[in-house]
Amino acid sequence: MPTIQPPPECIDQTCRLAASSIQSRMDWNMKPCKEFRGFSCSHDSDSSLRILRSAQETVDIQMQQLLEHNTTIGPYRKLGRLYGSCLRQKINSTTINKLLDQLGGYLPIGALGPSNLSSLLGKIYEMGPIPLLDIYYDLSSNRRRQVLLIISGPSTSAPILEGKLRWMGPRAPFHKIKDMVPKLLSGLLDSFLPNGLSYDHKMSEKESITNFIAEFNKIRIENTKKGFWDSSLISNVTVLQEHHPFLNWSILIPCNWTGQIVVRNPIYLNALQELINKYPTRVAHNSILLLFALGILPQSNPSPVICTRATMWALPEISASLFVAQHSQDNIDDVVKRTGIVFDALKAHLKRAPSLKGAALVKLSQLKIQSKLWPGFYNLTAMIKQLESYEISSDDWFNNVIKIYKRTKNISTDDIDWQLNVHEVWAYPTVAKVFYDALSHSIVVPLSVMLVPYFNIKTPPYLQYASVGVALGKEILRSITKSFDDKAMRCVPSSVNVFSNYSRMDILIHSGGMQISYHSMLSLTGPIKGMARLPGLDLTPTQIFFLVSAQELCAESDYTGINTDTDDFGNILVWLIAQGGSAADVFKCPHGSIVNAQKTCNIF
C-alpha cells in the first residue's frame, strides 16, 4: 500500500504563535477522554505565551492602553477625562446623594409611599435611564417605513448607552445580567440609608431593598427576550393604560406621540406589576432610586479595567472610532470578506440538513450577515465635534454620564433621514459579541470578533471555524428557530447552573453552533485534506478544532468571572465537546469514556 503523506506544516509566524498559544493552555499529562477540561484549559501556563484571550479581553486591554496613553492631549482628551473621572468616582459621592434627594430621597420606615411610581419614573426619565423600562423609537419589521415606539425591558446595565433612535447607528447585542445583586449595592446602601437608623432597622431596610432588586433582576433574566415574536402591538396610550394599569403611561410616553406602540414583552410587564404590588411602594421607591444610581455608576469598584469598560459604555461611538483608527482598512476589509465566506459555508451546509424544512428553511435562505463597519466610525471630524460638545469634568463620573444621557435622549423623530437604508444594522466594534438582529434578519458581527488571532488569513481553516465559525453558527441557529425548550430540559445537564449569565437554551445553542461549524468545515475540506498542521503540535486538525473551541469558552468564561475550575464547569465543557461533532472518534475515546457517554443530544 502506498504511504499517505501527512499534510504540510504551516510555517508562517502566525501559525507558530497559534501553536504556542494552544500548547500554553494544555496539560499533556491529562487524558482528553477522561478529563477534557484539564487537558485543554490548564491554568499552569506561561501567561507571556498566552495569546488566546477572549475577544472582549483583547479589546479591553487595547482600549485601556489607548485611554491611558492616547487621550492625555489631542482630539480625544475629553474621552481620557471621562475615563479619569471614573477612576476617581466614590460610592458616597455628594453628587449621587444630592440627585437622589431631588428625586424624592429615602422614604423612612412608617412613611406613606407614593400611590403610583409613574411620577418618580417620569422624573428619572428626564435625567437618565429608567431602571424598570426602556422607551425608544424603531422601525416596523415590514416594508413600510413606519416609526414605532418600543417599550421593552430596561437597558441600564447594558454595555452601551444607546440613543432613542435605535436604527440611526450601531446597535448593541442583547445584554444579560450577570449578578442578581449588583456588586456596588452594599456600599451604595450604606451611603443612602440615614446614619440615625438603629442597627435592626438598617438591617431590615437593607434586606428588603436587596430582595426587591434581586427579584427584579430575576424577572429580567427570565422574561427579557431577544426576538419580536412575543411583542404586542397597541394602537395608543389609552389602550396601553387598559392593558398595563400599574403605571401612568401618559407621563412616560411623549405627549406628541400619536403612532403605534409595541410592547416588546408583555409577560415582563405583567411580572413587573406583580413585583411592585408585592412590596410596599415605599420599598419600591427606595429600590428604584438605587437601581437608577447603579445604572449610571461603573459596574464594580473603579479600576483601570472597569473604567475602560464604563467609558466604552458611556461614549460608545467615540470610543469605537478611537479603536477602529488603530487598524488598517486593508486588514478590516480582509476579515470582513473572510467572515462572509465562512457565513456562506455555514448556510450552505445547513440547507442540506434533512430536518430543516418549511419556515426554518425560508428564514435561513433570507438570512443576511452584517460585518461591515458603520461609516460614521470613519468620520473623525464628526466624532470630535460630538465629543467637544459634551461638558466632561475630570472628577465627577456620575454627573458626566447624566449630561451625556440628556444629550443622547433629546433627539426628535423629525431628524430621521429617510434616504438611509434604515434596515441596515451595524455593530459596535468594541462589544465582542455576535448577535442576531430580528428586524433586519441579519447576523451582526463586531470587528473585535473578527480580529481574533485565529481568524488570520494565514491560519488553517480549522482555527477559523473553531473561533468565528462557532460564534456565527450559534446565532444562525438562534435566528431560524424560536426555541428548543423541550430539548434543552431533556439534554442539557443540571450543572449548567455554573453559568450565572447563561440559560440551558444558550448552552444547547452553543453545542448546535459547534455542530454546524464542525460539519461545515469538513464538508469543505474533508477530515484532513487541505488543512495544514500547526508546527510542533502533534494533533490532527479535527482534534485542534475541539481543543480551540474549548479554550475559547474557557477564556471567555474566565474573563466574565465564571469559575472554570469547578466540576460543574468541567461537566458542561465535556458535554459541549461531546455534542459538537465527533469528538469521541477524533480523540479515539474508548466505549464508556466520559466523552462517549455524554453524546446524548443532536441539535437537529
Side-chain angles (χ1 to χ4, degrees):
M1 296 293 291
T3 304
I4 299 174
Q5 292 293 324
E9 258 190 12
C10 174
I11 59 174
D12 188 85
Q13 180 65 13
T14 306
C15 293
R16 297 184 186 280
L17 284 172
S20 298
S21 170
I22 292 169
Q23 292 214 62
S24 73
R25 294 296 299 269
M26 292 177 62
D27 185 347
W28 290 99
N29 295 318
M30 296 285 187
K31 303 297 182 185
C33 297
K34 292 183 178 180
E35 177 49 81
F36 200 88
R37 192 243 343 247
F39 172 73
S40 59
C41 297
S42 171
H43 291 285
D44 299 328
S45 59
D46 181 356
S47 60
S48 64
L49 293 175
R50 186 173 67 88
I51 63 167
L52 178 58
R53 296 182 171 93
S54 72
Q56 191 61 61
E57 182 181 5
T58 304
V59 172
D60 292 352
I61 290 172
Q62 184 175 359
M63 283 301 300
Q64 181 184 331
Q65 292 171 344
L66 290 172
L67 289 171
E68 290 176 348
H69 303 295
N70 292 40
T71 61
T72 52
I73 57 173
Y76 289 100
R77 65 189 181 282
K78 281 194 175 182
L79 195 65
R81 198 181 298 169
L82 180 66
Y83 170 74
S85 72
C86 172
L87 291 172
R88 300 179 190 93
Q89 178 65 53
K90 303 295 183 184
I91 200 78
N92 58 351
S93 160
T94 54
T95 303
I96 300 175
N97 295 329
K98 188 181 296 183
L99 200 58
L100 295 184
D101 286 340
Q102 289 177 18
L103 293 169
Y106 168 71
L107 294 182
I109 296 173
L112 186 65
S115 59
N116 193 290
L117 295 169
S118 305
S119 176
L120 172 63
L121 294 177
K123 291 177 183 177
I124 290 176
Y125 188 49
E126 293 302 314
M127 290 187 180
I130 308 178
L132 306 184
L133 304 164
D134 194 13
I135 300 174
Y136 60 94
Y137 301 101
D138 213 322
L139 282 183
S140 62
S141 55
N142 57 32
R143 294 183 180 274
R144 291 176 57 202
R145 299 207 164 184
Q146 177 188 13
V147 184
L148 297 176
L149 185 69
I150 307 292
I151 299 173
S152 71
S155 61
T156 47
S157 298
I160 293 298
L161 188 60
E162 293 183 299
K164 294 301 172 188
L165 292 175
R166 294 291 164 86
W167 71 89
M168 298 296 286
R171 298 183 190 174
F174 181 67
H175 178 71
K176 291 182 179 175
I177 301 169
K178 181 182 173 185
D179 300 308
M180 288 285 197
V181 178
K183 292 177 180 176
L184 295 181
L185 178 58
S186 177
L188 196 58
L189 273 167
D190 288 335
S191 174
F192 179 68
L193 296 174
N195 293 328
L197 282 181
S198 69
Y199 176 81
D200 289 342
H201 278 171
K202 184 170 282 192
M203 289 299 103
S204 174
E205 289 288 77
K206 283 188 174 184
E207 183 180 5
S208 59
I209 291 173
T210 301
N211 288 342
F212 182 97
I213 291 175
E215 287 188 50
F216 168 65
N217 282 335
K218 184 179 179 182
I219 290 171
R220 289 180 63 187
I221 292 170
E222 291 175 349
N223 292 292
T224 306
K225 294 189 177 179
K226 196 173 184 180
F228 271 14
W229 41 75
D230 291 324
S231 296
S232 169
L233 188 63
I234 293 173
S235 56
N236 55 49
V237 177
T238 304
V239 178
L240 177 64
Q241 194 66 52
E242 292 173 359
H243 281 73
H244 305 285
F246 71 106
L247 291 176
N248 183 353
W249 294 99
S250 62
I251 295 177
L252 301 173
I253 302 299
C255 59
N256 61 346
W257 181 253
T258 57
Q260 289 186 317
I261 301 167
V262 172
V263 177
R264 191 160 184 176
N265 191 350
I267 300 173
Y268 167 76
L269 288 186
N270 294 337
L272 187 60
Q273 180 174 350
E274 289 183 14
L275 174 67
I276 289 174
N277 292 338
K278 178 180 175 181
Y279 284 85
T281 54
R282 181 190 71 82
V283 174
H285 169 96
N286 291 337
S287 302
I288 290 169
L289 286 181
L290 293 179
L291 281 167
F292 166 64
L294 289 164
I296 294 174
L297 286 165
Q299 293 193 352
S300 188
N301 292 314
S303 71
V305 172
I306 293 297
C307 289
T308 297
R309 295 179 197 161
T311 303
M312 293 191 294
W313 162 75
L315 286 176
E317 284 91 355
I318 295 166
S319 299
S321 72
L322 178 61
F323 174 76
V324 169
Q326 313 308 311
H327 302 279
S328 72
Q329 188 63 55
D330 288 344
N331 192 24
I332 292 172
D333 292 343
D334 174 66
V335 293
V336 167
K337 180 181 178 181
R338 192 159 56 257
T339 301
I341 292 171
V342 173
F343 173 75
D344 290 340
L346 298 177
K347 273 184 66 173
H349 171 73
L350 261 180
K351 284 180 179 178
R352 297 191 293 268
S355 60
L356 199 65
K357 299 174 183 176
L361 191 58
V362 172
K363 277 187 171 184
L364 179 64
S365 299
Q366 296 174 344
L367 186 65
K368 305 183 292 294
I369 189 169
Q370 175 53 280
S371 51
K372 296 177 182 177
L373 279 177
W374 180 52
F377 292 136
Y378 296 113
N379 191 342
L380 181 60
T381 303
M383 288 294 170
I384 298 307
K385 182 180 179 181
Q386 180 185 346
L387 182 59
E388 287 300 318
S389 70
Y390 294 120
E391 292 180 31
I392 297 176
S393 69
S394 58
D395 57 359
D396 194 345
W397 164 270
F398 200 88
N399 200 33
N400 286 337
V401 175
I402 292 290
K403 290 177 180 177
I404 291 169
Y405 174 83
K406 285 182 177 179
R407 287 290 306 275
T408 306
K409 175 179 175 288
N410 292 328
I411 299 175
S412 169
T413 50
D414 296 333
D415 296 335
I416 299 169
D417 181 358
W418 291 109
Q419 301 306 311
L420 291 172
N421 182 1
V422 286
H423 281 294
E424 195 80 18
V425 60
W426 298 276
Y428 287 100
T430 53
V431 185
K433 183 180 166 94
V434 179
F435 64 98
Y436 168 62
D437 178 72
L439 284 179
S440 63
H441 192 44
S442 305
I443 306 298
V444 189
V445 189
L447 177 63
S448 53
V449 170
M450 300 181 286
L451 290 175
V452 294
Y454 291 167
F455 201 59
N456 191 288
I457 191 172
K458 297 176 181 177
T459 57
Y462 49 86
L463 291 181
Q464 299 174 14
Y465 278 81
S467 51
V468 174
V470 172
L472 289 176
K474 287 162 54 180
E475 296 309 310
I476 290 174
L477 189 60
R478 204 187 304 273
S479 72
I480 60 177
T481 182
K482 291 184 180 179
S483 64
F484 295 106
D485 289 326
D486 294 339
K487 189 180 283 285
M489 295 305 296
R490 188 172 67 250
C491 296
V492 181
S494 59
S495 50
V496 71
N497 293 331
V498 68
F499 289 89
S500 57
N501 59 337
Y502 278 73
S503 68
R504 302 176 81 89
M505 188 65 63
D506 291 313
I507 294 296
L508 187 71
I509 285 178
H510 192 113
S511 76
M514 286 182 63
Q515 290 176 38
I516 294 168
S517 186
Y518 177 73
H519 291 295
S520 299
M521 176 190 73
L522 294 189
S523 69
L524 287 178
T525 62
I528 296 178
K529 182 181 177 182
M531 292 196 279
R533 293 175 296 129
L534 290 182
L537 200 59
D538 189 19
L539 292 169
T540 66
T542 46
Q543 287 174 332
I544 295 175
F545 174 90
F546 291 110
L547 184 62
V548 169
S549 295
Q551 290 185 345
E552 290 247 321
L553 181 62
C554 290
E556 179 187 346
S557 301
D558 275 333
Y559 195 59
T560 55
I562 295 170
N563 186 356
T564 59
D565 289 327
T566 64
D567 291 338
D568 281 347
F569 182 86
N571 292 339
I572 282 294
L573 185 64
V574 77
W575 183 86
L576 280 169
I577 293 301
Q579 315 315 308
S582 53
D585 297 332
V586 164
F587 287 99
K588 298 182 173 58
C589 295
H591 183 72
S593 68
I594 187 169
V595 173
N596 241 320
Q598 287 279 9
K599 181 67 176 175
T600 58
C601 192
N602 189 322
I603 195 73
F604 300 108

